[in-house]
Amino acid sequence: METQLAALRTELAESRRECALLDRMIAHVPAGIAFLDTDLVFRKVNATLAKFLGLTVEAMLGRRMFDVLPETREYYGPLMEQLLRTGEPFRAVEAPFSYTVNGVPMETFWDFTYMPIVSRDGRPEGVLVLNHEVSERVASQRQLREQITRLKALDQLKADFLNAASHELRTPLTSIKGYAEFLEDGVGGQLTPTQRDHVYQIQAGTQRLRRIVDDMLDFARLEAGVFQLQPLRTDLGKVIEQEVASLRPLAQEKQVVLELRGLVPSVPLVATVDPLRIGQVLLNLVGNAIKFTPAGGHVAVEAKGDAGSLRVEVRDTGIGIPADCHERVFEKFYQVNPSSTREHGGAGLGLAISKALVEAHGGEIGLHSVPGEGSTFWFALTV
Ligand SMILES: Nc1ncnc2c1ncn2[C@@H]1O[C@H](COP(=O)(O)OP(=O)(O)O)[C@@H](O)[C@H]1O
Ligand SMILES: [Mg+2]
């Protein structure tokens, strides 16, 4: 008898220790845990949940859920009823949960699981509640969404401005160009050699400005999605020759050798592309190559074609581009060295436009470059 009692005592002490350990574990789990009986009275509550709610465990234990949290009755009343009736668990993500702490209304969000507990003989015993406050996550997501909306509006504003500004700039530019031509042709009287040189400077500046304004306009159209390709059966060799010829004066002026390779007249590089747009891509790539290659350097344009594809490479011996900028140079307005813009001209849109144009053709564009050695820009089209 004595020994039996002693054994029972040890067992009791043991199971008390285990219970206490379990209680401590539950108290410290970083999630809210509660057990509600079928009358929705709190039978177990952990400290995490009480703290979340701005209450104490003692203030909750033994009391009905809707007495402790009256604001929750409207939403959770029917839900609890359904849980106990069906025995099916209920899970929710980022569910809103409003309550008051010392008269202060709290708007919170929770991920929660409500798990009905059923006895062995199938009687509902209560509901196990597991929840986790995610208000911060919801708030930061909301903030992010608001930021995106604001940024989109800003982007639109910039596109609208670009569009309006480039339209407005075009008209006076056309008139400057026209009058400079009149002067050059001697319509208003013969020019002295100095005056002639001045007119030439005006024309060169106008041309540069015209390119920038055209870039801005094209870019605005691309962004607005009102850009349409007009594909034609095109001899790409011709397009390349034309664009390269138009850039020869620039190359000469900069003392850069501009050479064309791989164009064999007997092998026409025929593809169905928009010749004006592909011409524009070439103009951008070759223009950049000349622009970023110092005097004495070399620019080569090479075209290769085979059964299914066409590849054009523009190689230069210029300043090159650091590896960490290779992707960014295709972004709008990005320039590796914006302070040299004044010297070179350009708005940082040429490559963004070229990429959009090549991709509109279903093609690819890329580069290989080593600073101080040179760059190779290429694009490939399927034919
Ligand atoms: N061939 C090249 N060599 C060196 N840098 C280049 C070359 N092509 C483009 N870049 C770099 O990429 C930037 C973006 O080019 P682009 O979009 O054509 O704009 P922009 O010519 O108006 O500056 C240039 O400012 C330059 O820093
Ligand atoms: Mg450019």
Side-chain angles (χ1 to χ4, degrees):
M1 187 65 184
E2 276 295 305
T3 47
Q4 259 175 339
L5 213 60
L8 268 175
R9 271 208 197 98
T10 327
E11 213 170 291
L12 192 66
E14 182 89 349
S15 73
R16 277 209 181 117
R17 261 201 306 279
E18 289 213 343
C19 264
L21 180 65
L22 207 62
D23 274 350
R24 270 209 305 284
M25 268 172 65
I26 290 174
H28 290 101
V29 168
I33 298 177
F35 182 76
L36 293 154
D37 67 17
T38 48
D39 294 325
L40 302 182
V41 170
F42 283 110
R43 288 293 161 209
K44 276 250 180 244
V45 175
N46 76 343
T48 315
L49 179 63
K51 209 169 126 206
F52 276 155
L53 296 170
L55 298 166
T56 59
V57 173
E58 294 71 36
M60 296 174 75
L61 274 183
R63 293 181 62 200
R64 296 199 63 211
M65 173 178 177
F66 300 131
D67 292 340
V68 179
L69 303 161
E71 305 87 347
T72 60
R73 181 192 291 272
E74 196 182 331
Y75 180 76
Y76 289 90
L79 176 67
M80 290 303 188
E81 224 169 78
Q82 179 198 320
L83 284 167
L84 289 170
R85 188 160 29 83
T86 61
E88 294 285 329
F90 181 82
R91 287 194 181 83
V93 177
E94 293 171 8
F97 191 84
S98 321
Y99 57 97
T100 37
V101 175
N102 304 328
V104 183
M106 307 290 282
E107 291 286 335
T108 56
F109 291 87
W110 303 68
D111 285 352
F112 64 72
T113 306
Y114 282 28
M115 182 84 78
I117 304 291
V118 180
S119 69
R120 278 214 188 101
D121 53 15
R123 257 180 328 105
E125 286 186 321
V127 179
L128 177 67
V129 181
L130 278 175
N131 40 16
H132 202 75
E133 198 187 347
V134 292
S135 306
E136 268 176 36
R137 184 175 83 202
V138 172
S140 65
Q141 275 168 356
R142 203 179 268 174
Q143 243 171 19
L144 214 62
R145 270 198 296 274
E146 280 166 10
Q147 261 167 8
I148 290 172
T149 313
R150 261 205 309 278
L151 284 175
K152 274 195 179 145
L154 258 177
D155 219 37
Q156 183 59 42
L157 206 68
K158 203 162 66 184
D160 290 348
F161 171 75
L162 264 183
N163 197 15
S166 42
H167 269 299
E168 291 301 319
L169 286 169
R170 266 192 146 183
T171 320
L173 262 179
T174 309
S175 105
I176 294 171
K177 186 169 176 271
Y179 281 103
E181 264 163 29
F182 282 171
L183 282 174
E184 189 190 23
D185 296 346
V187 175
Q190 278 304 309
L191 299 185
T192 65
T194 313
Q195 286 169 331
R196 216 166 244 298
D197 180 54
H198 291 172
V199 169
Y200 172 73
Q201 297 296 343
I202 292 171
Q203 283 174 323
T206 312
Q207 174 97 359
R208 273 210 301 277
L209 204 54
R210 178 64 196 251
R211 287 224 175 105
I212 294 176
V213 170
D214 282 350
D215 269 6
M216 284 162 57
L217 202 61
D218 274 340
F219 181 73
R221 284 201 197 114
L222 271 171
E223 288 267 282
V226 290
F227 204 85
Q228 275 201 335
L229 290 182
Q230 312 219 297
L232 296 172
R233 291 292 287 167
T234 304
D235 180 357
L236 227 74
K238 284 228 171 68
V239 177
I240 295 172
E241 266 166 5
Q242 259 167 23
E243 299 303 340
V244 167
S246 84
L247 285 166
R248 277 208 190 283
L250 183 66
Q252 244 154 30
E253 192 184 313
K254 277 212 67 185
Q255 298 176 355
V256 168
V257 179
L258 176 57
E259 115 183 85
L260 210 57
R261 282 191 199 157
L263 293 182
V264 189
S266 58
V267 188
L269 297 168
V270 177
T272 305
V273 296
D274 183 328
L276 288 178
R277 296 313 180 187
I278 292 300
Q280 201 180 348
V281 174
L282 274 157
L283 197 71
N284 275 327
L285 297 186
V286 182
N288 279 348
I290 298 171
K291 190 157 90 169
F292 296 104
T293 301
H298 209 103
V299 172
V301 184
E302 184 164 4
K304 299 172 199 166
D306 58 38
S309 74
L310 249 167
R311 186 181 164 97
V312 180
E313 281 186 9
V314 180
R315 272 199 303 279
D316 67 54
T317 58
I319 60 174
I321 299 170
D324 58 346
C325 303
H326 285 190
E327 272 181 34
R328 297 210 65 190
V329 291
F330 292 103
E331 285 172 16
K332 55 190 174 188
F333 303 114
Y334 187 82
Q335 296 179 309
V336 175
N337 185 1
S339 61
S340 72
T341 307
R342 234 166 294 122
E343 185 190 330
H344 294 305
L349 291 172
L351 288 178
I353 294 171
S354 303
K355 184 174 160 75
L357 290 177
V358 169
E359 286 176 355
H361 280 87
E364 263 186 284
I365 189 165
L367 78 143
H368 172 80
S369 181
V370 179
E373 287 181 18
S375 312
T376 300
F377 277 84
W378 58 266
F379 65 92
L381 303 167
T382 45
V383 293

